Amino acid sequence: MRYHTPKSFDEAAAIAAKADGKTRFLAGGTDVLVQLRAGMVTPDDLIDIKHIAGVSDIARTADGGWRIGVAVSGAELGRHAALCADWPGVIEGMNLVGSTQVQGRATLVGNLCNGSPAADSVPGLIAAGATVTVTGPKGSREVAVEAIPTGPGKTVLAAGEVISAVTLPARGTGGGDAYLRFIPRTEMDIAVVGAAVNLRVVGGRITEARVALGAVAPTVILVPEAAAAIIGTDLNDAALAALTAAAEAAAKPISDKRGTAAFRKEVVGVLARRAALIAFARAKGEAK
Amino acid sequence: MTKIHVSATVNGDPVEYLADPRESLLDCLRDHLGLTGSKEGCGTGDCGACSVQLDGVLVCSCLVLGAEAQGKKIETVEGLSRGETLHPLQRKFIEHAALQCGFCTPGILVAAKALLEQNPDPNESEIRFWLAGNLCRCTGYDKIIRAVQDAAAEMRGAA
Amino acid sequence: MAKDELKTGYRLIGTRPDRPDGLDKVTGRARYGADITAPGMLHAAVVRSPHAHARIIKIDASKALALPGVKAVITRADFPTGLTGEDWNLQENTMAGDVALYDGHAVAAVAATTKLLAQDAALLIEVEYEILPHVTDVDAAMAPGAPAIRPGSADPSVPEGMHPNVIRYIDFGHGDLAAGFAAADLVREATYKTEATHQGYIEPHACLGQMGADGRGEMWVCTQGQWYIRRMSAAVLGIEAANLRVTPSEIGGGFGGKTTIFMEPLSLALSKKAGGRPVKLVMSRSEVFRATGPTASTSMDVKIGMKKDGTITAGQVYFRMQGGAFPGMSPISEALQCAFACYDVPALKHEAVEVLANRPKAAAYRAPGSPMAAFAVESMVDELCRELGLDPIATRLKNAARNGSKSSFGPSYNQIGLVESLEAARAHPNYAAPLGPNQGRGVASGFWMNHGGETSVSLAIGEDGTVGVMVGTPDVGGSRASLALMTAETLGIPYENVRVNIVETGALGVNEPTHGSRATFASGKAAVEAARQAIGEMCRRAAAEWGIDADAVEWKDGAAHPAGPNAGKFPPLTIAEIGASMGSTGGPISGHHESVPGGVGASFGAHVVDVEVDPETGRTTVLRYLVVQDAGRAIHPAYVEGQYQGGAVQGIGWALNEEYVYGTDGRLQNSIFLDYRVPVASDLPMIDTVIVEVPNPGHPYGVRGVGETGITPPLPAMASAIAAATGARLRSLPMSPPKVLAAIRAKGRG
């Protein structure tokens, strides 16, 4: 295994593009090292991207959104008051990944590129409408987060392509988001089910919404039907019931060691409903 | 495979070692530097027995490559006491019987120290969630929580 | 050192001094299994079967051996043949012979100059398998058509017509069962199941072994019992026990799981083949889960009859327990003995079978058998109480085993503290705490018989009057402190003047491991006897000095005194003075005691738990938890509380989320701590404890073991609390959220 410390994303992409064996990019390492240790993946080339300028920065974009470096840890995100005020749901999702120790290292992009349908930070990013910058041998492009994962452990990224930043849109007024997951314990588990809701409230009614669900399909899924169920409503009981039903209908879970399909299908509706209530309260300024 | 020369600071001392790129920081601490206080309980970041601070950040040293420590400051359980003077957490763990087998203790001490550095007065729930990544199978955590609370109180009083 | 309010009149017993090994353990200096190195040391890795059941056709290690730095590869062919009985089983589990019997079964091992090289070499060892049909569930394993795992291994006790995987049968009972059930106002029967769990000690197994061509060897190993490691390793390797010296490291948890061998002989065999270079072998966490000794999994039928006033008139159980592909480690006998141990019932029938399945060889886990039995019987008692509208503690008191009762398994109880424990639980504020919506309270009692076991302890007086104690029971949770307290109390000297050393196999006679809650009881009793022997000798030295009869000398406060005015007037001779002059008064002074101590005091306890269950997700939160248990006498109360708390939390984990999950391919699916869900700090409240003290007359300070009973009540107490919170009774562990939610839904439909 060769260990590289490129100084730019172009250099990182070039190393990856030239490599003929297995390649992995290393940021927080909380998945890569586990796979290495378990003998699941022993890369021939391991490309540590933490030496690239700007990877640890969190910056406002010109339109009032946020650009987040790929090596920013969950703990750093959680300490950023302005970012947390804008996107509490995104950050609470990331902060649910692993222990305090893992939070010291784990990153949004790592969680995304691991390709797990249960990734805790991904539903929040998708609900928020986040994008990532993909840098490759042919330059860079902006890709919606929901387009990155293609199946368990798989992403749309081609050989030589690396994600170089995460961008969250401007929050704007009347916005609120929330992420909830279900785990059997209080910490340290992989999500059995996850649900993120992002919405905007104008005059007491929901004008925009995005709902993303985790661990109920081969990838985290964006569920427009669930969003449609609450748009135009004041999140009354009928809207919540419709949201629950839409989330359940969209869920195509499997049974595995972490939970049964029936359980996931039922609980995803519960979590979507609970997350919507939190997001709604946040949008109205009634909750943090 | 070519090894990587790493220079770092461990518990204030300059160190150098040759890391195989596949070796974790935990491997390097234990096998190359003889610092066996940090323990491997799982190798997957799930037990916290290998907890160290890396440039002040609490991490599992099993989830850090030895090569990544180049130029970094690492603090382990061996650096908790100053000469003969134990850290208040160390004293309180003994006083409260907050350890039985003691295997998880180094990681819990390092994690608790990191907590008190950023929150000198944590409540029970904050301590429990901060330490959720440090498994203890002997104590049921009760006496660990009490020891951390007591050490925090003493440190606040002493400050 | 605040002295607890005990009515003992003791100087040290019942105080809470710092443990002697505390400093080493908070500074990282304490040396555990993997913490030692030796000159010329090699590292080992093990090749394990990925199949639940497969014939080994061929093992080709040529590619591994071709790697520079690889020093030895071993397979079963490197072990002696002709072993029988349990020795053969141990050998077979250490390294598969013709057939791999479970996912994780070792088939080859390699030693190389580095850890990474050994792991690389292991991947190059090619094993060709013929996959055989497998079975992992206990009921499936004894059903018609199940693959016979080891035909012909059944014991003669097994009734005709049972599946060949059923290898042992036991039954016992008393009274007129039919009359008992006929006298009941309510008779209920049900089947309860528990999945296998793992002790989950945080320290993986680790050893450093060295053995030369002469068959003489040494081993450093984390174990609960160095003599067991010696005897078993010697048997598996065909060497003489005396030629193997085993030194126990500090131990990072065992809970019964480190009382036997798993991979230790591999390091010795590799060392021998590699020219005697020491070989270090450390398991990964995944290897620990796949290839050490989890508990049995069980399927249990229970039938109990009760009168309207709560009197239990009869009980009947039939337990089926699989303990892996090897006989002997399904704790059917212990489970049956514990099943009704808390009750005085006129008619009981106990039956159990041991069943083979394609799983790793089970090992002991804290009160082996008792938690499962309690889950079945205590759950059913709660179901009856609930149906009859009876208070669960009052009902247990009504039927409680008491001093002099004939136990459910035969012998009569001496002094026991079940009634006192139940009364203390009932009087505790937790039992009266108000409950909110979706909350419920569960109660259960628990039992463990405790154990004496082979014990050998030596003690020597130092030249300054301080004392070294050599014991053979590794310190898993503070026993150095309790042994030092008892020794110092007996000798009348300061606690700090006693050093307790856990010694290697060459230093004492055979000791059983720290198991059966015996370290403080058995090593303690022996240490007290050894101290008394040394006191006798010190009195003789004083008598000689004073020119009086030894009978006229008495020992108190750490010194020899004339025993009353008639003995003469002499200033006391302190232990320090006697130690300083012993070279000229007859030589070294020591004490020694070895025995299989009788007087074992049975242990009873009662737990009360409050939970809240989320009715929409089935998730259970423990709100408050109370452990009440009879310690006989708490030597160091802080470590007694620690045993209660730790046992309770392991039981909570077993009740809620811990389980071995096997796929249809027979492979273990959750072999890391991410998916084998032990309780984490944020899952729990503080664990309240009450130490009841009904002194055990069989121990000089009244000690009964405290380590094991605490894991027993949580399983049924949690089930009963969940039933109280939801109205849904779960009869299958773990009570993970999907099962709880399904039970709530089924109740709604029913």
Side-chain angles (χ1 to χ4, degrees):
Chain A
M1 189 174 90
R2 289 170 294 273
Y3 173 71
H4 308 272
T5 54
K7 298 292 186 289
S8 72
F9 280 106
D10 290 336
E11 190 189 336
I15 294 167
K18 252 191 349 214
D20 46 10
K22 277 189 199 138
T23 302
R24 283 289 183 283
F25 293 101
L26 176 70
T30 54
D31 287 313
V32 172
L33 265 79
V34 172
Q35 292 162 4
L36 177 66
R37 168 82 194 184
M40 288 157 60
V41 180
T42 304
D44 300 291
D45 291 280
L46 185 64
I47 305 169
D48 186 344
I49 53 178
K50 291 193 292 297
H51 296 257
I52 298 171
V55 293
S56 298
D57 296 348
I58 302 172
R60 279 274 186 201
T61 58
D63 68 351
W66 293 97
R67 194 170 166 81
I68 300 167
V70 297
V72 175
S73 69
E76 289 166 327
L77 289 170
R79 279 199 297 270
H80 198 288
L83 178 59
C84 291
D86 271 8
W87 294 105
V90 173
I91 306 308
E92 71 196 354
M94 183 62 212
N95 285 347
L96 286 172
V97 175
S99 60
T100 316
Q101 286 84 341
V102 167
Q103 282 293 309
R105 296 264 294 166
T107 65
L108 286 169
V109 170
N111 200 220
L112 176 62
C113 291
N114 191 44
S116 167
D120 277 312
S121 73
V122 176
L125 286 171
I126 291 176
T131 59
V132 293
T133 308
V134 176
T135 301
K138 296 175 211 154
S140 292
R141 60 196 164 101
E142 206 64 13
V143 180
V145 168
E146 57 267 32
I148 296 294
T150 55
K154 295 198 172 76
T155 69
V156 76
L157 299 176
E161 286 191 324
V162 57
I163 291 177
S164 52
V166 178
T167 303
L168 282 163
R171 176 66 279 189
T173 55
D177 71 335
Y179 173 74
L180 292 174
R181 68 165 180 195
F182 182 85
I183 56 172
R185 294 182 291 187
T186 51
E187 278 280 353
M188 303 306 291
D189 290 330
I190 300 291
V192 179
V193 178
V197 175
N198 172 34
L199 47 77
R200 190 180 310 283
V201 177
V202 178
R205 289 194 172 269
I206 295 168
T207 57
E208 300 167 36
R210 282 164 70 88
V211 177
L213 306 177
V216 291
T219 65
V220 178
I221 52 172
L222 182 66
V223 185
E225 301 80 5
I230 56 172
I231 290 172
T233 75
D234 61 354
L235 207 59
N236 54 31
D237 288 349
L240 288 169
L243 169 66
T244 303
E248 286 179 7
K252 304 279 187 286
I254 57 166
S255 291
D256 65 9
K257 63 190 170 191
R258 293 179 182 138
T260 61
F263 178 79
R264 288 186 160 113
K265 209 166 166 66
E266 179 167 353
V267 172
V268 76
V270 174
L271 294 192
R273 191 182 78 236
R274 292 177 180 180
L277 286 166
I278 297 168
F280 193 62
R282 284 173 175 166
K284 293 192 293 180
E286 291 166 1
K288 281 198 167 177
Chain B
M1 287 185 200
T2 316
K3 290 199 174 184
I4 299 164
H5 177 263
V6 177
S7 304
T9 304
V10 178
N11 301 326
D13 298 329
V15 300
E16 293 179 60
Y17 55 85
L18 289 176
D20 183 288
R22 293 185 290 168
E23 283 178 318
S24 68
L25 175 58
L26 178 61
D27 294 331
C28 294
L29 289 169
R30 291 179 54 85
D31 299 342
H32 300 326
L33 299 176
L35 293 170
T36 54
S38 305
K39 306 300 182 194
E40 178 163 321
C42 69
T44 50
D46 295 310
C47 83
C50 65
S51 296
V52 302
Q53 284 178 290
L54 185 66
D55 281 348
V57 178
L58 181 67
V59 299
C60 286
S61 60
C62 75
L63 293 186
V64 177
L65 287 179
E68 287 183 85
Q70 170 62 36
K72 304 268 189 199
K73 286 193 175 67
I74 299 147
E75 288 162 88
T76 71
V77 67
E78 287 94 343
L80 270 180
S81 58
R82 292 282 163 267
E84 290 185 41
T85 309
L86 293 182
H87 189 282
L89 281 163
Q90 292 174 306
R91 260 191 299 108
K92 292 299 178 186
F93 267 59
I94 298 174
E95 272 178 41
H96 284 266
L99 55 137
Q100 287 180 28
C101 79
F103 192 78
C104 71
T105 307
I108 291 186
L109 288 169
V110 170
K113 169 175 167 273
L115 169 64
L116 299 186
E117 282 169 2
Q118 67 159 48
N119 181 357
D121 190 12
N123 63 31
E124 181 190 334
S125 175
E126 288 168 334
I127 298 171
R128 287 186 179 278
F129 276 90
W130 182 276
L131 293 177
N134 289 90
L135 300 182
C136 169
R137 193 61 161 167
C138 294
T139 66
Y141 304 103
D142 183 302
K143 292 182 188 301
I144 291 173
I145 307 301
R146 291 178 201 277
V148 174
Q149 286 173 323
D150 195 15
E154 183 184 297
M155 289 165 73
R156 287 196 305 277
Chain C
M1 193 195 293
K3 189 158 176 175
D4 282 42
E5 290 178 23
L6 301 176
K7 315 118 263 196
T8 63
Y10 292 126
R11 190 170 50 89
L12 295 170
I13 302 292
T15 62
R16 302 177 180 232
D18 290 352
R19 64 191 284 169
D21 50 334
L23 184 61
D24 284 347
K25 287 179 176 168
V26 299
T27 54
R29 279 203 302 270
R31 290 182 305 169
Y32 293 83
D35 294 341
I36 202 163
T37 56
M41 184 175 86
L42 302 173
H43 298 264
V46 179
V47 180
R48 298 184 180 279
S49 168
H51 305 297
H53 197 195
R55 189 172 307 285
I56 298 166
I57 306 296
K58 197 174 98 180
I59 300 174
D60 181 357
S62 56
K63 286 180 188 160
L65 286 164
L67 277 184
V70 171
K71 297 297 176 190
V73 171
I74 54 168
T75 66
R76 183 64 173 275
D78 294 282
F79 288 78
T81 56
L83 276 62
T84 56
E86 181 58 9
D87 288 347
W88 184 85
N89 282 309
L90 286 167
Q91 187 184 56
E92 179 79 359
N93 192 35
T94 303
M95 184 73 92
D98 297 335
V99 176
L101 294 164
Y102 58 92
D103 167 37
H105 200 171
V107 297
V110 55
T113 50
T114 72
K115 205 158 61 178
L116 286 168
L117 186 60
Q119 288 162 8
D120 289 343
L123 293 174
L124 292 175
I125 295 175
E126 294 167 358
V127 186
E128 192 184 322
Y129 296 99
E130 175 199 342
I131 295 177
L132 303 172
H134 69 272
V135 63
T136 55
D137 176 77
V138 59
D139 289 323
M142 54 190 292
I149 293 166
R150 286 166 55 175
S153 55
D155 176 284
S157 62
V158 177
E160 290 269 325
M162 297 198 89
H163 191 284
N165 288 339
V166 178
I167 52 162
R168 187 159 59 110
Y169 170 88
I170 48 178
D171 70 329
F172 61 88
H174 64 259
D176 184 338
L177 206 63
F181 284 123
D185 294 311
L186 181 64
V187 177
R188 287 280 176 264
E189 54 187 315
T191 299
Y192 299 81
K193 291 193 82 160
T194 66
E195 238 317 325
T197 55
H198 195 275
Q199 301 82 0
Y201 34 78
I202 311 298
E203 182 198 27
H205 295 255
C207 66
L208 174 60
Q210 183 276 325
M211 188 165 82
D214 57 0
R216 288 172 189 269
E218 292 195 48
M219 172 162 288
W220 164 271
V221 58
C222 62
T223 180
Q224 292 171 247
Q226 53 272 42
W227 282 271
Y228 270 29
I229 296 284
R230 181 179 77 165
R231 170 170 59 77
M232 295 176 184
S233 296
V236 163
L237 294 166
I239 62 172
E240 296 75 26
N243 279 337
L244 182 59
R245 190 169 74 134
V246 180
T247 304
S249 69
E250 290 302 324
I251 174 171
F255 315 109
K258 291 178 182 168
T259 53
T260 184
I261 57 166
F262 295 105
M263 76 333 178
E264 291 78 5
L266 300 180
S267 77
L268 295 166
L270 283 165
S271 173
K272 187 176 178 206
K273 206 162 180 182
R277 288 175 70 169
V279 174
K280 185 170 179 172
L281 179 47
V282 181
M283 278 192 175
S284 70
R285 175 54 53 183
S286 176
E287 287 180 291
V288 171
F289 278 119
R290 288 169 70 207
T292 64
T295 67
S297 66
T298 69
S299 173
M300 302 171 288
D301 300 338
V302 182
K303 181 178 179 185
I304 297 177
M306 191 181 274
K307 291 189 182 219
K308 281 179 187 157
D309 68 355
T311 305
I312 299 174
T313 56
Q316 183 175 7
V317 293
Y318 173 36
F319 293 168
R320 300 164 292 276
M321 306 177 89
Q322 75 71 30
F326 300 85
M329 290 313 293
S330 285
I332 53 173
S333 167
E334 294 88 338
L336 290 184
Q337 287 180 50
C338 294
F340 287 101
C342 294
Y343 298 98
D344 193 353
V345 180
L348 288 174
K349 182 170 185 198
H350 304 76
E351 285 178 284
V353 288
E354 174 169 12
V355 184
L356 296 181
N358 291 111
R359 296 199 189 202
K361 185 177 196 242
Y365 179 22
R366 209 167 196 153
S370 187
M372 301 85 143
F375 176 60
V377 171
E378 289 290 273
S379 289
M380 179 54 91
V381 168
D382 192 78
E383 293 193 46
L384 291 162
C385 287
R386 206 164 287 281
E387 201 167 337
L388 293 170
L390 298 167
D391 176 81
I393 293 185
T395 307
R396 283 175 172 80
L397 279 166
K398 191 174 194 65
N399 297 285
R402 293 163 191 267
N403 297 344
S405 313
K406 193 164 159 59
S407 71
S408 60
F409 50 95
S412 293
Y413 291 123
N414 194 347
Q415 296 288 314
I416 58 170
L418 174 61
V419 166
E420 289 81 353
S421 296
L422 287 164
E423 284 171 347
R426 186 162 63 176
H428 193 276
N430 282 21
Y431 198 59
L435 293 169
N438 302 313
Q439 298 183 353
R441 176 165 298 145
V443 172
S445 41
F447 166 79
W448 183 246
M449 55 286 275
N450 286 334
H451 183 59
E454 284 175 280
T455 308
S456 172
V457 168
S458 287
L459 166 156
I461 310 297
E463 304 90 321
D464 59 355
T466 61
V467 174
V469 185
M470 289 182 276
V471 304
T473 43
D475 182 352
V476 296
S479 60
R480 285 183 180 92
S482 63
L483 295 172
L485 281 168
M486 287 183 279
T487 305
E489 183 80 48
T490 306
L491 288 165
I493 61 175
Y495 166 76
E496 293 75 16
N497 286 7
V498 177
R499 178 165 178 147
V500 175
N501 298 304
I502 316 295
V503 300
E504 46 100 351
T505 50
L508 282 177
V510 170
N511 276 270
E512 277 185 36
T514 299
H515 68 172
S517 295
R518 72 178 215 95
T520 296
F521 170 75
S523 286
K525 194 170 177 176
V528 169
E529 290 301 328
R532 286 175 176 168
Q533 198 180 73
I535 287 170
E537 178 59 22
M538 289 190 286
C539 288
R540 281 190 286 280
R541 300 285 172 102
E545 169 93 13
W546 295 331
I548 64 177
D549 277 358
D551 292 351
V553 178
E554 66 175 1
W555 187 264
K556 61 181 181 191
D557 301 330
H561 299 256
N566 294 341
K569 273 179 95 84
F570 303 99
L573 263 177
T574 66
I575 189 171
E577 290 164 341
I578 295 168
S581 64
M582 64 190 170
S584 57
T585 62
I589 299 172
S590 61
H592 181 79
H593 185 79
E594 52 204 1
S595 65
V596 178
V600 175
S603 166
F604 291 87
H607 292 198
V608 180
V609 59
D610 291 350
V611 304
E612 180 169 330
V613 180
D614 183 336
E616 291 187 316
T617 65
R619 215 188 92 179
T620 300
T621 302
V622 181
L623 302 173
R624 56 184 77 80
Y625 202 101
L626 171 66
V627 181
V628 184
Q629 191 179 314
D630 175 18
R633 181 153 282 130
I635 302 300
H636 191 306
Y639 289 102
V640 173
E641 292 160 3
Q643 288 299 315
Y644 291 4
Q645 292 167 332
V649 168
Q650 287 185 324
I652 291 169
W654 197 337
L656 287 182
N657 286 308
E658 293 181 36
E659 61 176 320
Y660 265 45
V661 180
Y662 281 93
T664 52
D665 57 3
R667 290 182 188 172
L668 183 62
Q669 304 224 322
N670 59 333
S671 65
I672 58 174
F673 275 134
L674 181 66
D675 292 313
Y676 183 86
R677 293 154 168 161
V678 304
V680 302
S682 50
D683 293 342
L684 297 160
M686 293 297 188
I687 307 294
D688 302 322
T689 57
V690 175
I691 301 175
V692 168
E693 293 191 305
V694 176
N696 169 21
H699 184 279
Y701 293 114
V703 167
R704 45 183 103 231
V706 297
E708 292 174 279
T709 299
I711 198 174
T712 293
L715 285 63
M718 292 288 293
S720 296
I722 290 171
T726 64
R729 170 67 59 176
L730 279 95
R731 299 195 184 98
S732 164
L733 296 186
M735 296 177 285
S736 53
K739 279 156 84 173
V740 174
L741 190 60
I744 293 172
R745 294 288 170 265
K747 177 195 57 131
R749 282 193 297 272

